[in-house]
Amino acid sequence: MLAEKIIEKKAEPDCDCSIIGSINIISGKWKPVIIWTLLSGPRRFGELYKAIDGIALKVLSRHLKELEADGIINRKVYAEVPPKVEYTLTEKGMSLNDVMQLLAEWGKKNIVAE
């Protein structure tokens, strides 16, 4: 166990811990896409699934739970039959808007243009 901690500590780059923490919350192939999609407003699970081409249902479900646990999204369940669940960004999630816009601009200039 001690060896794992030493190895883990050496693997961390010498940079601001807030950067590492931020990347840990929004990292992955699908989390930024989920956040980007929710920036335009509330979405139901099925709407998110249809809007995000290529994501597996299980992966979408897991990422939504993780983003909710991290305080990035809200999950609102309506007492209806059939059940209705709606996802929205929290204030913390909405604060990612500028970061997401900059990432989109960077991608357009440096990836799509190539």
Side-chain angles (χ1 to χ4, degrees):
M1 183 119 171
L2 182 60
E4 290 173 5
K5 287 187 178 186
I6 291 170
I7 291 169
E8 185 178 325
K9 193 155 185 98
K10 286 183 181 178
E12 278 187 26
D14 292 332
C15 67
D16 190 348
C17 290
S18 61
I19 292 172
I20 295 168
S22 300
I23 295 299
N24 285 339
I25 289 175
I26 65 167
S27 68
K29 180 177 181 179
W30 299 111
K31 284 184 183 178
V33 179
I34 293 168
I35 293 166
W36 182 260
T37 304
L38 289 173
L39 280 169
S40 63
R43 298 283 184 106
R44 294 177 68 174
F45 184 88
E47 292 172 328
L48 283 168
Y49 180 67
K50 289 175 186 170
I52 303 171
D53 190 37
I55 193 168
L57 288 169
K58 191 174 183 179
V59 173
L60 177 58
S61 179
R62 184 179 75 237
H63 284 332
L64 288 169
K65 288 175 186 174
E66 290 171 1
L67 289 167
E68 182 182 15
D70 290 330
I72 303 299
I73 64 171
N74 282 320
R75 179 180 185 266
K76 185 175 182 180
V77 181
Y78 293 89
E80 296 179 3
V81 177
K84 177 182 174 182
V85 178
E86 194 173 74
Y87 295 93
T88 57
L89 290 172
T90 62
E91 188 174 324
K92 184 177 174 182
M94 287 300 291
S95 71
L96 290 167
N97 183 42
D98 292 342
V99 173
M100 299 302 290
Q101 296 292 336
L102 288 170
L103 280 171
E105 287 176 32
W106 186 90
K108 287 176 188 171
K109 290 178 185 173
N110 296 287
I111 298 171
V112 177
E114 292 177 357

